[in-house]
């Protein structure tokens, strides 16, 4: 047993922070969190590192053919905003899943012109104060569920189930639009990461996120996708207008990187007679 003097020395060492003991101080200065102001309402659609207006203002020399203008380009320090991006005026609490798969509040995503532009493709329909998603798309006018069943038949999976009895669980959906493909995969216990750029269609990913579908802004351009190698069992591209053979097929090599061994690449395009063909 140690002496009382040794015990006193041990206590002093612990109080001083020696040996992993907690430091006790009578003069403790608690850090007061800094508050940030709310940005101007005109910035409610701002995505700081994906701001196309900034690219034009800074006259950045980007290769449009390589989709560099859709990649991340963060503003210089003097042009960054130290404020919180406000929600759109009249913003409502989002509709919860699974109801959100089929409808969202129109006021939360003020981009209704896309419904008119793609009305013939059954992407989305404005219905009063809501936007409805019938489950259609550029290549699945009859519904994403039937399109998914057709993919399963093509791959000879049992029961027209794309999960292939649990062997297929993760999907990379390139050029996903409003992500109806990913939404209709969830009942099969398949998780799709939907990917689309912030392009002239006014941020389709915003619709996907409001619906509650995993998705992110991005593009197959000059940078690697932000996923580890061998992350997905299936890569899907429905008329995504990507030149897969550019630069000696480097984009195909990138898809090959994120696909697991034995994975699939489903590329559907419009056939000569207007039908959908999948390879």
């Amino acid at each position: 047993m140690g002496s009382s003097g040794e015990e006193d020395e041990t206590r002093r060492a612990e109080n001083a922070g020696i040996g992993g003991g907690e430091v006790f101080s009578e003069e403790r200065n608690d850090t007061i969190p800094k508050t940030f102001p709310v940005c101007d309402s005109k910035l409610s659609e701002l995505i700081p590192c994906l701001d196309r207006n900034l690219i034009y203002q800074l006259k950045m020399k980007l290769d449009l053919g390589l989709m560099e203008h859709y990649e991340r380009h963060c503003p210089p320090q003097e042009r960054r905003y130290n404020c919180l991006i406000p929600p759109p005026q009249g913003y409502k609490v989002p509709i919860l899943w699974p109801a959100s798969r089929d409808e969202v509040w129109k006021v939360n995503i003020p981009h209704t012109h896309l419904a008119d532009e793609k009305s013939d493709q059954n992407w989305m329909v404005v219905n009063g104060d809501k936007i409805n998603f019938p489950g259609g798309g550029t290549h699945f006018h009859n519904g994403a569920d039937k399109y998914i069943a057709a993919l399963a038949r093509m791959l000879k999976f049992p029961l027209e189930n794309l999960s292939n009895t649990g062997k297929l669980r993760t999907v990379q959906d390139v050029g996903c639009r409003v992500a109806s493909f990913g939404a209709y995969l969830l009942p099969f216990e398949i998780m799709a990461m939907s990917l689309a750029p912030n392009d002239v269609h006014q941020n389709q990913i915003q619709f996907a996120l409001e619906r509650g579908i995993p998705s992110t802004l991005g593009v197959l351009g000059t940078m690697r996708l932000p996923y580890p190698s061998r992350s997905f069992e299936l890569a899907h591209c429905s008329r995504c207008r990507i030149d897969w053979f550019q630069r000696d097929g480097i984009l195909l090599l990138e898809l090959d990187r994120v696909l697991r061994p034995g994975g699939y690449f489903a590329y559907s395009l419009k056939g000569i007679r207007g039908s959908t063909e999948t390879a």
Side-chain angles (χ1 to χ4, degrees), residues 13-30:
E14 290 176 347
N15 290 339
I18 301 173
E22 183 180 357
V23 178
F24 296 95
S25 173
E26 295 180 357
E27 297 180 358
R28 175 176 291 177
N29 295 323
D30 294 328

Side-chain angles (χ1 to χ4, degrees), residues 49-226:
C49 293
L50 291 167
D51 183 5
R52 285 181 291 148
N53 292 326
L54 178 71
I55 292 175
Y56 301 136
Q57 292 168 9
L58 297 181
K59 298 180 180 179
M60 301 177 69
K61 296 181 180 180
L62 304 176
D63 192 325
L64 304 186
L66 299 182
M67 310 293 281
E68 282 188 294
H69 55 306
Y70 291 143
E71 295 178 335
R72 289 177 58 86
H73 301 284
C74 294
Q77 188 67 38
E78 65 274 10
R79 300 199 59 157
R80 296 180 183 178
Y81 293 96
N82 288 318
C83 55
L84 300 175
I85 303 297
Q89 187 175 3
Y91 184 84
K92 294 183 178 182
V93 175
I95 297 171
L96 298 179
W97 184 270
S100 63
R101 187 195 73 174
D102 301 322
E103 62 179 13
V104 299
W105 296 114
K106 181 176 69 175
V107 70
N108 290 3
I109 312 176
H111 300 314
T112 56
H113 98 281
L114 189 59
D116 298 327
E117 181 183 343
K118 300 295 182 180
S119 59
D120 61 324
Q121 298 177 13
N122 216 19
W123 280 23
M124 47 194 280
V125 178
V126 177
N127 185 13
D129 60 352
K130 293 180 180 178
I131 297 176
N132 298 119
F133 300 90
T138 305
H139 271 167
F140 28 95
H141 298 259
N142 297 322
D145 51 347
K146 295 180 177 60
Y147 175 81
I148 291 169
L151 283 178
R153 286 196 302 271
M154 182 190 71
L155 295 171
K156 296 181 172 56
F157 289 166
L159 304 176
E160 296 186 356
N161 189 326
L162 195 60
S163 71
N164 193 21
T165 64
K167 297 183 180 69
L168 195 154
R169 298 167 297 170
T170 54
V171 172
Q172 171 74 80
D173 187 17
V174 181
C176 67
R177 300 171 180 87
V178 295
S180 289
F181 180 71
Y184 281 80
L185 287 176
L186 288 172
F188 298 102
E189 297 185 353
I190 299 174
M191 183 66 69
M193 175 53 71
S194 302
L195 181 77
N198 183 18
D199 58 10
V200 294
H201 289 140
Q202 292 188 331
N203 195 359
Q204 305 155 74
I205 290 298
Q206 192 172 354
F207 289 99
L209 292 174
E210 187 72 17
R211 296 173 73 185
I213 305 166
S215 49
T216 185
L217 282 167
V219 67
L220 276 165
T222 65
M223 301 180 184
R224 296 175 71 175
L225 294 173

